[in-house]
Amino acid sequence: MPSRAWRAPEGIKATAHIVGNRSLRMEAEKSRPLWDNPFQFVLACISYAVGLGNVWRFPYLCQMHGGGGFLIPYLIMLILEGMPLLYLELAVGQHMRQGSIGAWKAISPYLCGVGVASVIVSFFLSMYYNVINAWAFWYLFHSFQDPLPWANCPLNSNHTDYVEECEKATPTQYFWYRKTLNISPSIEENGGLQWEQAACLILAWLVVYLCILRGTEHTGKVVYVTATMPYVVLTIYLIRGLTLHGAANGLTYMFTPKLEELANPKTWINAATQIFFSLGLGFGSLIAFASYNEPSNNCERHAIIVSLINSSTSVFASIVTFSIYGFKATFNYENCIKKVILLMTNFFDLEEGLITMENLDDMKHFLASAHPREYADLLPQIKNCSLEAELDTAVQGTGLAFIVYSEAIKNMEVSQLYSVLYFIMLLMLGIGSMLGNTAAILTPLTDSKFISSHVPREMISGGICIINCFVGLLFTMQAGNYWFDIFNDYAATLSLLLIVLVETIAVCYVYGLRRFQKALGAMIGHEPSWYWKIMWAFVSPVLIVSLFIFYLTDYIRTGTLRYQAWDATEVFCPLL
């Protein structure tokens, strides 16, 4: 008789299949690289979340929306939006132990697109964000010169006078727009590639590549520097800033609340937006970082720690910034007064020292009454010097980082030292953020068995860096800064809001809030409190929808987009 193959009963087959899947999953989890310790993970999150926005965006918002009064909506939005959404992303990454694509696919196969969207947005951000690090390298290399190259206007080709374009602006503006960017008059004129900036961009991407080369093994060591160095530099700047002449004027301006701004809806919108983007939600970076945690890691406590440190850093950086603001504003105000005194002394042929800062107003009234005709002729040349007006000058973004700070640094003693420290700090902030951005792209790719089995991790990391660097060369052209502003303003805002909205809906209503809270209880030893559940299920989604509607209507209402272009003859003029 021919032999018959033995067939297992259906129940036994099903059990074997389930056990096989579980063993495969456990094997994959064991092989997944981990952070050396929880502290390393927290530092990675801080290094990613605490970025340039804390230094150049938050102080601007304080300046625009009531000084210390802005902290009220900011802290409320931190509680209602920031901490809950940060906890949600960390919990998803740690529970699913995969990057953004795999994590959302595990929740539902239909949500795979959420992870893909996160990777695409992170790719867009990486394309232009590292250009900031290139600019920081450029300024760092020039910080060793004495005097600093942005301290004075250069001489013209005949060596008979200063360059006219520089005299119409300021030395710091000229160095930024002409020497660094060599900016074109409009976005339509791309101009050529700026090879110095291109070389700095290649260097910036080389540094990022070396940091991500071996995944958490390298990144975990780098974050000890990128997360802590900015605080060392900010502390040095705080000590120096508080000793600067006029620092008290800036701090008084910051901490004097204008409570009427709380009635302005845009104040609350900007507070919610700042919290949202400062924590880096929606990019997939936090999910990627959390996926390398031990399953029992207390991600709730870490979410609270990271969000509080991030917000505290914004306030800390604002204190430093406003002390610098106060020094710069006082310096400019007193220079303006001195020029007026010199003008009046020479015009009326007065004894030197007769007019002082203290009696200037009295002398104006006296000369106006004693010599009305002459004073009327001189009046158009007399500048209206105002300390309040100097403090009200609001600057954000690259203008604050590379112009305002440079302006203040050049007037400090040992300016080269403070310049080197400042641009090292910018590099640490920028590189820390880039580690998170690249992790959001790299982790889903290395999680793919097909890709990781055919391509070594080093080649995947190198490919990401090379592609981003190549595309990023666009931003080193003469019109590159205009493209940078467009990408910075429009590349991610609506996309991220939509991504995070879908994330909260997916966890609460697709995966199920009860199922999610049980998973958290199994991970950290206790289920989330009513606060977290109410924020996830109702409050945070409502806030995100409100922000989405606001930005969408704002874009529609704006109509044709406008940008500010550098005009060598008129300094600045708005163009379509």
Side-chain angles (χ1 to χ4, degrees):
M1 293 178 63
S3 62
R4 294 176 62 187
W6 181 80
R7 298 178 67 184
E10 294 298 320
I12 297 176
K13 284 174 65 181
T15 304
H17 181 68
I18 292 170
V19 172
N21 276 351
R22 285 178 179 171
S23 63
L24 285 172
R25 185 176 176 183
M26 289 176 64
E27 186 180 340
E29 287 183 359
K30 286 179 181 178
S31 64
R32 189 172 188 80
L34 299 171
W35 300 107
D36 290 347
N37 51 68
F39 181 62
Q40 202 174 75
F41 164 68
V42 172
L43 285 181
C45 291
I46 291 172
S47 179
Y48 166 66
V50 176
L52 297 166
N54 299 74
V55 175
W56 72 26
R57 176 70 177 167
F58 184 82
Y60 166 79
L61 293 176
C62 282
Q63 195 175 12
M64 290 293 292
H65 297 294
F70 182 71
L71 294 177
I72 296 172
Y74 180 76
L75 293 175
I76 290 174
M77 291 303 170
L78 173 66
I79 294 169
L80 298 181
E81 176 194 42
M83 279 196 282
L85 294 177
L86 178 62
Y87 182 19
L88 181 79
E89 290 207 348
L90 294 184
V92 167
Q94 183 171 310
H95 177 54
M96 300 303 174
R97 297 182 63 73
Q98 296 184 74
S100 56
I101 295 177
W104 295 113
K105 188 177 180 181
I107 289 177
S108 171
Y110 298 106
L111 293 172
C112 181
V114 178
V116 173
S118 293
V119 172
I120 292 172
V121 172
S122 295
F123 183 80
F124 273 125
L125 184 71
S126 297
M127 281 195 307
Y128 73 89
Y129 194 90
N130 215 21
V131 179
I132 302 171
N133 292 330
W135 293 332
F137 269 122
W138 168 262
Y139 268 79
L140 177 63
F141 296 151
H142 285 81
S143 295
F144 295 95
Q145 299 181 30
D146 185 20
L148 292 172
W150 55 85
N152 303 295
C153 285
L155 294 172
N156 59 23
S157 56
N158 297 327
H159 297 277
T160 55
D161 202 355
Y162 294 115
V163 173
E164 184 182 1
E165 183 182 1
C166 182
E167 284 195 304
K168 289 182 177 179
T170 64
T172 48
Q173 287 178 328
Y174 178 79
F175 185 82
W176 168 244
Y177 287 105
R178 184 55 57 214
K179 292 297 184 181
T180 302
L181 304 176
N182 193 21
I183 198 165
S184 62
S186 71
I187 198 170
E188 287 83 8
E189 301 176 41
N190 281 325
L193 199 68
Q194 306 302 299
W195 291 106
E196 298 92 343
Q197 303 307 318
C200 289
L201 180 63
I202 293 170
L203 175 62
W205 273 112
L206 179 62
V207 170
V208 170
Y209 174 68
L210 293 175
C211 293
I212 66 172
L213 182 60
R214 301 294 296 274
T216 54
E217 183 183 338
H218 278 188
T219 304
K221 305 298 186 295
V222 173
V223 294
Y224 284 110
V225 179
T226 59
T228 57
M229 178 63 79
Y231 293 98
V232 174
V233 177
L234 281 174
T235 303
I236 293 171
Y237 259 88
L238 177 65
I239 296 169
R240 181 67 184 104
L242 294 176
T243 62
L244 291 172
H245 174 58
N249 294 326
L251 294 176
T252 302
Y253 184 91
M254 175 187 171
F255 286 108
T256 303
K258 299 174 184 175
L259 298 180
E260 63 273 11
E261 281 291 325
L262 296 179
N264 181 1
K266 203 155 188 180
T267 301
W268 295 85
I269 291 289
N270 282 330
T273 305
Q274 176 63 16
I275 283 289
F276 185 93
F277 291 109
S278 177
L279 289 171
L281 301 169
F283 288 101
S285 305
L286 297 167
I287 293 175
F289 281 157
S291 71
Y292 299 115
N293 275 336
E294 292 282 359
S296 59
N297 182 66
N298 193 338
C299 53
E300 177 183 308
R301 180 174 60 200
H302 289 160
I304 295 171
I305 290 171
V306 171
S307 56
L308 289 177
I309 289 177
N310 178 68
S311 297
S312 300
T313 304
S314 294
V315 177
F316 182 32
S318 293
I319 294 172
V320 175
T321 299
F322 275 92
S323 66
I324 302 290
Y325 262 149
F327 165 67
K328 177 181 173 293
T330 305
F331 183 87
N332 290 343
Y333 168 70
E334 291 181 353
N335 271 354
C336 179
I337 293 289
K338 289 174 184 176
K339 289 178 181 178
V340 171
I341 291 173
L342 181 62
L343 178 66
M344 292 174 63
T345 300
N346 292 338
F347 188 85
F348 291 102
D349 197 21
L350 301 174
E351 181 182 346
E352 188 174 346
L354 181 63
I355 306 178
T356 62
M357 294 181 67
E358 290 74 20
N359 69 5
L360 179 60
D361 288 335
D362 294 333
M363 289 298 295
K364 282 182 178 179
H365 291 304
F366 170 74
L367 292 172
S369 58
H371 309 280
R373 185 175 296 176
E374 290 87 345
Y375 189 83
D377 293 338
L378 180 66
L379 189 59
Q381 302 179 48
I382 298 177
K383 291 183 179 180
N384 183 23
C385 304
S386 169
L387 179 60
E388 190 72 17
E390 290 286 347
L391 289 168
D392 281 337
T393 305
V395 183
Q396 66 167 326
T398 52
L400 173 60
F402 293 102
I403 297 178
V404 174
Y405 262 96
S406 297
E407 181 78 26
I409 288 170
K410 75 172 188 178
N411 296 316
M412 294 180 183
E413 295 178 3
V414 201
S415 57
Q416 287 77 19
L417 173 63
Y418 288 104
S419 184
V420 168
L421 287 174
Y422 173 69
F423 290 110
I424 286 177
M425 180 189 74
L426 283 192
L427 277 172
M428 294 300 103
L429 292 171
I431 290 171
S433 296
M434 282 303 302
L435 296 182
N437 294 333
T438 51
I441 306 169
L442 187 60
T443 302
L445 295 178
T446 53
D447 283 346
S448 169
K449 291 182 180 179
F450 177 78
I451 296 175
S452 58
S453 62
H454 290 81
V455 185
R457 184 188 180 94
E458 293 81 2
M459 287 189 66
I460 299 174
S461 303
I464 292 170
C465 293
I466 290 171
I467 293 170
N468 276 292
C469 183
F470 181 76
V471 178
L473 291 175
L474 165 70
F475 304 102
T476 64
M477 300 179 76
Q478 287 183 277
N481 192 57
Y482 303 136
W483 288 108
F484 175 88
D485 288 339
I486 289 172
F487 269 74
N488 195 39
D489 290 339
Y490 302 106
T493 306
L494 291 176
S495 306
L496 289 175
L497 290 171
L498 188 59
I499 288 169
V500 178
L501 177 62
V502 175
E503 288 180 357
T504 55
I505 293 172
V507 169
C508 296
Y509 303 107
V510 177
Y511 190 76
L513 190 55
R514 288 185 180 178
R515 185 181 173 192
F516 188 61
Q517 71 182 39
K518 287 180 181 178
L520 282 174
M523 280 198 305
I524 65 177
H526 66 271
E527 294 186 359
S529 66
W530 60 267
Y531 158 71
W532 298 111
K533 290 184 281 187
I534 291 175
M535 294 301 111
W536 289 334
F538 304 108
V539 178
S540 294
V542 170
L543 282 173
I544 295 169
V545 170
S546 301
L547 288 174
F548 187 86
I549 293 172
F550 170 80
Y551 278 104
L552 190 61
T553 54
D554 187 54
Y555 289 155
I556 294 171
R557 218 171 14 185
T558 301
T560 304
L561 300 180
R562 298 170 68 86
Y563 63 94
Q564 239 184 359
W566 176 261
D567 190 321
T569 59
E570 298 180 18
V571 181
F572 262 123
C573 69
L575 297 175
L576 289 177

